[in-house]
Amino acid sequence: MRTTPILLALATAVVAAACSGSSPDDTNNTDNNPGATPGVPGGSVDDPNKPVNPDDVEPEEEEFTVLGERQIEYPEALRTASLKLLRRLPTLAEIKEVETGGKEAYEAAIDDMLQDPLFAARMVKWWQDIMRQGGGNGDDRNTAPTFAAQLIVEDRPFTDVLTATANNCPTYNEGMNTFQAGTCNSGAPAEAGVLTNPGVMRQFYGPMAFRRVRWVQEIFACKAFPAETGKAENRGNGTYYAAWPWESISADPVNFLDTQAAICANCHQTSNHLAPLFANFGEDGMWQNMPAVKTNVNGELVDSQRTHWLPDSEQTAWRFGKPAADLPALGAVMAEDAEVHRCMVSRAWNFTMSKEDIVSDAANIDGAVIKPFIDMFSANRNLKEVLRAMLKSEDFVKY
């Protein structure tokens, strides 16, 4: 193929510009273009001194993002909210009203749905899913999720789920969509929301009460063990990174300080400080005056003793530096914990935005996304108001 004079001239211009140390698009460089006007874009190859007409310049394309392309669609948001809150589609009249009334009509519809009797049934179902609890009519495994749902429906502080001293085991009448008050009467020295719920303690009975501890951790802190970390240090064949001093838990009859393989103490430093609080609930979920769970010692189940978890000098606690002498104290310290607040708001966000479970499905949320809602919850503890704000937010109404 022959090289035309025009192509040769273009190639020569590009090479010259590259060798000069300036870009061919260096529009303000007057040293290499003596006839150019400072501050005026350079011209064409044929006449570098001729200013470029801005109308001839192709505008840069804006970066495309899916989120940036969304538009507010109140009728679509109404449909999603109705299915989510009431488990039914909106009526044609409801859709038309929102189509005509826009934002004001949509937000009024959300307020109405949050007062609808069907909302109570939806909250019971939601918390049954979260707490992994439920059963037939009269089954005490319904009472913990029912209590959580009741607190939301009745605009009560949601942290009562951890601290209530009475009426913490309500029942739900599906036909009437109403709650009936009831106290757990677990036999514990004092009630503490769902932390003394017999249905929970019965379902999660197991050796050394660790299944109960895992339930509390995952439901109210929204993450699996290990729960807390500190400065890392080498221990045997692994790394120890828990917040607690190494010898804060027991090594006999179960060696929680073993270092031959995985460093079990990374999880057990926290769980061992919690487990004794739940150890007195028996297999039936009722409180006894001594530990009612078992410890596996060389293949034999023996009655657990407090020293199986902790040395005599150690106290029970929610986290390092957050002691809890009993279950009411545990509920109180959890109710003030920012980690618990974030967990409850995260669960509300995943429910609203149709995401999976934050623990079992690792559906985590960036804290910056939900910070306004965390601040709202920490101020008033009202999870229903958080749901209301999420359902009215741009993130929900844009499609």
Side-chain angles (χ1 to χ4, degrees):
M1 181 179 70
R2 292 188 302 168
T3 303
T4 65
I6 293 177
L7 290 175
L8 182 59
L10 286 172
T12 303
V14 171
V15 171
C19 293
S20 69
S22 62
S23 166
D25 297 325
D26 191 353
T27 58
N28 294 322
N29 191 324
T30 57
D31 294 336
N32 296 315
N33 192 2
T37 302
V40 178
S44 66
V45 173
D46 295 332
D47 185 0
N49 297 319
K50 181 181 178 181
V52 173
N53 186 344
D55 293 336
D56 296 335
V57 178
E58 291 288 336
E60 291 186 9
E61 292 187 8
E62 294 184 6
E63 184 180 355
F64 174 79
T65 63
V66 174
L67 292 178
E69 293 297 304
R70 296 179 304 160
Q71 301 293 324
I72 291 177
E73 297 284 353
Y74 289 117
E76 287 294 330
L78 176 72
R79 179 181 182 277
T80 303
S82 184
L83 287 169
K84 193 170 295 294
L85 299 179
L86 307 181
R87 305 184 82 180
R88 69 164 177 83
L89 288 166
T91 65
L92 180 59
E94 291 169 337
I95 295 171
K96 292 292 186 183
E97 187 172 352
V98 169
E99 285 179 341
T100 303
K103 178 180 180 181
E104 184 176 346
Y106 169 76
E107 293 190 350
I110 293 297
D111 293 338
D112 290 343
M113 282 189 270
L114 291 174
Q115 297 301 319
D116 193 299
L118 293 177
F119 175 64
R122 185 66 186 96
M123 290 296 96
V124 171
K125 175 65 168 61
W126 179 36
W127 281 92
Q128 284 177 331
D129 292 342
I130 289 176
M131 291 183 170
R132 310 158 199 166
Q133 288 263 286
N137 291 334
D139 193 315
D140 61 358
R141 292 174 297 176
N142 288 313
T143 54
T146 297
F147 185 43
Q150 182 184 31
L151 294 174
I152 295 172
V153 171
E154 296 180 357
D155 288 285
R156 291 164 58 184
F158 192 74
T159 47
D160 284 2
V161 76
L162 299 165
T163 62
T165 59
N167 292 325
N168 55 334
C169 271
T171 55
Y172 179 68
N173 187 316
E174 295 182 12
M176 301 293 293
N177 288 317
T178 56
F179 298 98
Q180 290 77 44
T183 299
C184 289
N185 294 323
S186 62
E191 295 293 331
V194 299
L195 300 179
T196 51
N197 183 286
V200 172
M201 298 303 127
R202 180 166 66 88
Q203 179 168 327
F204 296 101
Y205 176 84
M208 300 190 75
F210 286 138
R211 293 186 68 219
R212 293 165 178 168
V213 169
R214 178 182 174 181
W215 182 83
V216 171
Q217 166 68 20
E218 294 187 359
I219 302 307
F220 296 106
C222 283
K223 63 181 181 182
F225 284 110
E228 48 189 332
T229 58
K231 183 179 179 180
E233 58 180 274
N234 293 328
R235 288 280 178 177
N237 293 322
T239 302
Y240 176 66
Y241 50 78
W244 297 82
W246 174 251
E247 295 182 347
S248 296
I249 56 177
S250 298
D252 184 63
V254 179
N255 187 7
F256 292 112
L257 299 180
D258 181 64
T259 62
Q260 296 180 35
I263 306 299
C264 300
N266 285 323
C267 293
H268 279 282
Q269 285 288 5
T270 303
S271 59
N272 279 30
H273 282 85
L274 283 166
L277 296 170
F278 298 96
N280 285 34
F281 292 100
E283 194 168 359
D284 59 356
M286 301 302 290
W287 181 269
Q288 300 182 19
N289 292 326
M290 61 184 65
V293 292
K294 303 291 184 180
T295 300
N296 188 324
V297 180
N298 298 322
E300 180 183 355
L301 293 178
V302 301
D303 292 337
S304 296
Q305 304 296 321
R306 192 181 184 281
T307 54
H308 292 181
W309 295 282
L310 302 170
D312 287 331
S313 58
E314 281 294 309
Q315 301 300 311
T316 49
W318 164 238
R319 295 288 189 262
F320 181 66
K322 296 182 178 181
D326 52 27
L327 289 173
L330 175 63
V333 72
M334 289 177 65
E336 300 301 321
D337 193 331
E339 181 182 34
V340 174
H341 293 185
R342 174 173 173 168
C343 175
M344 296 302 96
V345 173
S346 297
R347 290 197 176 281
W349 179 265
N350 281 5
F351 169 76
T352 303
M353 301 300 170
S354 302
K355 295 183 179 293
E356 301 298 329
D357 185 79
I358 192 169
V359 179
S360 58
D361 298 294
N364 296 303
I365 308 107
D366 189 315
V369 173
I370 58 173
K371 185 180 185 305
F373 305 111
I374 295 174
D375 293 342
M376 178 186 296
F377 180 80
S378 296
N380 60 26
R381 314 295 172 92
N382 190 319
L383 201 56
K384 186 181 188 179
E385 287 305 304
V386 170
L387 286 169
R388 189 193 309 273
M390 289 177 176
L391 291 163
K392 294 181 180 182
S393 70
E394 283 197 1
D395 283 310
F396 188 81
V397 301
K398 280 187 172 182
Y399 286 79

